[in-house]
Amino acid sequence: MGSRWGFLIRFLGAVWLLGLGHCEQQTPETAAQRCFCQVSGYLDDCTCDVETIDKFNNYRLFPRLQRLLESDYFRYYKVNLKRPCPFWNDISQCGRRDCAVKPCQFDEVPDGIKSASYKYSEEANNLSEECEQAEQLGAVDESLSEETQKAVLQWTKHDDSSDNFCEADDIQSPDAEYVDLLLNPERYTGYKGPDAWKIWNVIYEENCFKPQTIKRPLNPLASSQGKSKENTFYSWLEGLCVEKRAFYRLISGLHASINVHLSARYLLQDTWLEKKWGHNITEFQQRFDGILTEGEGPRRLKNLYFLYLIELKALSKVIPFFERPDFQLFTGNKVQDAENKMLLLEVLHEIKSFPLHFDENSFFAGDKKEANKLKEEFRLHFRNISRIMDCVGCFKCRLWGKLQTQGLGTALKILFSEKLIANMPESGPSFEFHLTRQEIVSLFNAFGRISTSVKELENFRNLLQNIH
């Protein structure tokens, strides 16, 4: 008990120090210092420092991870971008051409991917097709083998269980289409203003355990709200338990990561001859400069690193699921599938070797009843956030928002399923813990986006060094 209270006291002290805003310097700050002055050394609630993460990600993990994500299994993602917003009707669809998403033609997707939604092997493919046929009949077909009937019931039960943190798309819907993520990269589309701010404000206001009496400024880039109001807004975090503060930091880290992507792949030139995408230093400063954001920018970047550690930990925990001999990244090309599984395991064991993994036990402690209650709160809040993604007016933003929230939701599911993962059979179907192809693709691509953000921060640091 004493160590628990000591941890909380140290955490609250760190939060108070973090709320002080930009670094207090006796000499004028450079542009790089104003964005990164707090983004160094040890992270709050962690035994890891920023410099260790940067070195590990940028030079050891990032290159391998990007090569994995370029493979057919991970580049094709099935998504329904036509689902109606469940919360409000006044959605203004983005009419800019950069907001559009180009779906795949049917013959562009490998046969092994489009044949079924669960694909770990050829045998599993055949089994899942029988499962889908049985579900369409509304009952288990008695002509199926006893083992197949059991799989149908177990997988259906799994999909309806309380282990899922996201409300996933119905990928059997006629509106669901495959998208080549490499041909529809996440970048600045021009989608901004009240419609875009409304999405994030609803997320923060209604889903991050924030008291309704504390209001967040509508425009997250505005600096005219006043420092006292800004500090008042964040003071409510001190009154939350450490787990709920962690939830807020995950959402803030996801928001920051997306903003890094938009600043790094900004439309710098648009002429009839060519489009030029690149780093927009001004856009980055507007979102992360310590003075322009009144101390908020560096806090966002630290939360990005916090999110990185959480998803890194989830990937290290789920290794036994992917190590099973009957698991394949099934696309129908046996040679490439075998090579990609080897690369996947290389990436996962590289992640496992990270020396300063986040200790999630300090967050999800307490008796069983309290832990279950906390899990349910997390699940309901995060499911709500995943539904809000259907309200995004820009289709490309909606695509990447849905993918990254599903990826983070899958990471949370893994962290809450440690015992189920440990009890998995070494071979054969895993009924207690199961990941669909959608979850696998979103998990690795979402982490790939965060890994890219960390890499881009190094690029922005170097660019800002030349600005005084």
Side-chain angles (χ1 to χ4, degrees):
M1 178 66 73
S3 61
R4 174 73 170 170
W5 280 109
F7 172 80
L8 289 175
I9 290 172
R10 290 193 300 272
F11 176 84
L12 292 176
V15 169
W16 181 83
L17 288 172
L18 189 58
L20 290 178
H22 62 276
C23 297
E24 295 183 4
Q25 306 257 347
Q26 298 300 318
T27 58
E29 297 171 312
T30 65
Q33 288 173 331
R34 284 167 51 173
C35 290
F36 294 103
C37 60
Q38 289 185 3
V39 191
S40 62
Y42 284 94
L43 294 167
D44 305 318
D45 321 318
C46 308
T47 58
C48 186
D49 59 274
V50 168
E51 290 76 15
T52 299
I53 296 174
D54 285 340
K55 184 177 179 180
F56 171 78
N57 178 77
N58 298 348
Y59 301 103
R60 291 174 56 184
L61 184 60
F62 178 80
R64 291 180 182 177
L65 181 60
Q66 292 305 304
R67 187 153 54 94
L68 179 69
L69 296 180
E70 291 172 358
S71 67
D72 283 351
Y73 187 89
F74 289 101
R75 69 184 292 181
Y76 295 106
Y77 180 65
K78 198 169 189 180
V79 61
N80 183 357
L81 298 176
K82 298 178 182 178
R83 287 180 61 175
C85 172
F87 300 108
W88 59 83
N89 296 320
D90 58 331
I91 300 181
S92 298
Q93 299 293 349
C94 176
R96 299 174 62 94
R97 56 181 176 175
D98 293 322
C99 285
V101 171
K102 181 182 179 182
C104 296
Q105 298 297 319
F106 186 77
D107 59 354
E108 293 176 336
V109 183
D111 292 336
I113 290 179
K114 63 191 177 187
S115 62
S117 56
Y118 304 93
K119 282 173 279 299
Y120 304 129
S121 65
E122 187 171 3
E123 179 183 358
N125 255 13
N126 296 332
L127 176 61
S128 64
E129 289 175 356
E130 294 179 3
C131 292
E132 290 170 9
Q133 293 171 4
E135 289 177 355
Q136 291 173 2
L137 294 174
V140 177
D141 188 343
E142 293 182 357
S143 66
L144 300 178
S145 68
E146 183 178 348
E147 182 180 1
T148 301
Q149 291 182 41
K150 182 179 179 181
V152 172
L153 295 175
Q154 290 286 356
W155 280 354
T156 302
K157 180 180 178 182
H158 165 81
D159 290 339
D160 294 333
S161 73
S162 60
D163 292 330
N164 295 316
F165 283 74
C166 288
E167 185 171 303
D169 285 342
D170 176 12
I171 59 174
Q172 303 304 326
S173 167
D175 291 330
E177 298 178 291
Y178 281 101
V179 174
D180 186 338
L181 299 175
L182 299 183
L183 298 181
N184 294 272
E186 183 183 27
R187 58 192 180 191
Y188 183 81
T189 65
Y191 177 63
K192 57 184 179 180
D195 290 332
W197 303 329
K198 183 178 182 179
I199 300 296
W200 285 108
N201 275 281
V202 169
I203 290 174
Y204 286 119
E205 290 281 340
E206 301 179 13
N207 296 282
C208 285
F209 303 99
K210 186 185 70 61
Q212 293 299 312
T213 55
I214 304 296
K215 297 300 180 184
R216 180 182 178 84
L218 175 63
N219 181 354
L221 302 183
S223 60
S224 60
Q225 299 294 328
K227 179 176 268 190
S228 61
K229 291 184 179 180
E230 194 76 9
N231 288 340
T232 299
F233 171 73
Y234 285 99
S235 64
W236 62 270
L237 278 170
E238 299 181 22
L240 295 180
C241 69
V242 65
E243 292 87 355
K244 292 180 179 179
R245 276 197 294 269
F247 187 94
Y248 173 86
R249 294 182 66 191
L250 291 176
I251 302 304
S252 174
L254 177 61
H255 193 182
S257 180
I258 291 173
N259 283 334
V260 171
H261 305 154
L262 305 186
S263 302
R265 302 196 70 168
Y266 198 92
L267 184 57
L268 301 177
Q269 180 180 328
D270 187 5
T271 67
W272 67 276
L273 286 175
E274 65 172 345
K275 280 189 172 186
K276 181 180 179 182
W277 304 85
H279 295 83
N280 187 321
I281 299 175
T282 301
E283 188 73 19
F284 183 85
Q285 288 178 296
Q286 285 184 326
R287 297 174 186 273
F288 299 110
D289 185 284
I291 293 178
L292 296 179
T293 62
E294 296 175 342
E296 168 63 5
R299 182 188 287 112
R300 295 170 185 162
L301 294 180
K302 294 191 80 170
N303 290 339
L304 188 160
Y305 280 95
F306 180 78
L307 173 63
Y308 182 95
L309 289 176
I310 290 290
E311 295 206 10
L312 193 76
K313 182 66 172 184
L315 288 168
S316 71
K317 280 185 171 292
V318 80
I319 291 177
F321 178 81
F322 295 107
E323 283 184 324
R324 293 176 304 145
D326 57 345
F327 175 86
Q328 293 184 34
L329 299 175
F330 187 74
T331 66
N333 186 322
K334 292 185 177 181
V335 175
Q336 289 186 5
D337 291 345
E339 292 176 352
N340 286 331
K341 182 176 179 180
M342 290 180 60
L343 178 57
L344 171 71
L345 294 179
E346 283 182 20
V347 168
L348 289 173
H349 283 285
E350 188 71 62
I351 289 172
K352 188 177 181 180
S353 72
F354 184 67
L356 298 171
H357 269 292
F358 175 76
D359 180 13
E360 80 285 0
N361 293 322
S362 62
F363 282 88
F364 308 120
D367 62 37
K368 185 175 181 180
K369 184 177 181 180
E370 291 179 351
N372 288 338
K373 181 181 178 181
L374 179 63
K375 174 184 175 181
E376 183 64 9
E377 285 188 279
F378 266 53
R379 190 182 71 86
L380 292 177
H381 279 255
F382 203 86
R383 282 180 71 92
N384 215 34
I385 291 173
S386 70
R387 297 175 70 202
I388 293 173
M389 292 300 107
D390 286 317
C391 302
V392 176
C394 167
F395 283 118
K396 186 166 290 183
C397 304
R398 183 183 298 192
L399 163 66
W400 286 100
K402 288 167 74 77
L403 182 145
Q404 290 176 84
T405 51
Q406 185 179 25
L408 176 52
T410 303
L412 292 174
K413 168 182 169 178
I414 293 168
L415 291 175
F416 279 108
S417 303
E418 183 174 11
K419 292 182 179 179
L420 298 180
I421 296 173
N423 294 328
M424 283 190 310
E426 293 184 2
S427 62
S430 173
F431 298 132
E432 294 300 322
F433 179 82
H434 178 70
L435 292 179
T436 67
R437 180 181 178 275
Q438 290 292 103
E439 289 175 313
I440 295 170
V441 172
S442 64
L443 174 68
F444 281 89
N445 273 284
F447 182 68
R449 294 280 76 208
I450 304 165
S451 174
T452 299
S453 292
V454 172
K455 176 66 174 175
E456 289 293 357
L457 290 184
E458 179 181 62
N459 295 331
F460 276 113
R461 278 192 186 97
N462 293 334
L463 291 170
L464 288 167
Q465 290 292 343
N466 298 322
I467 299 178
H468 298 285

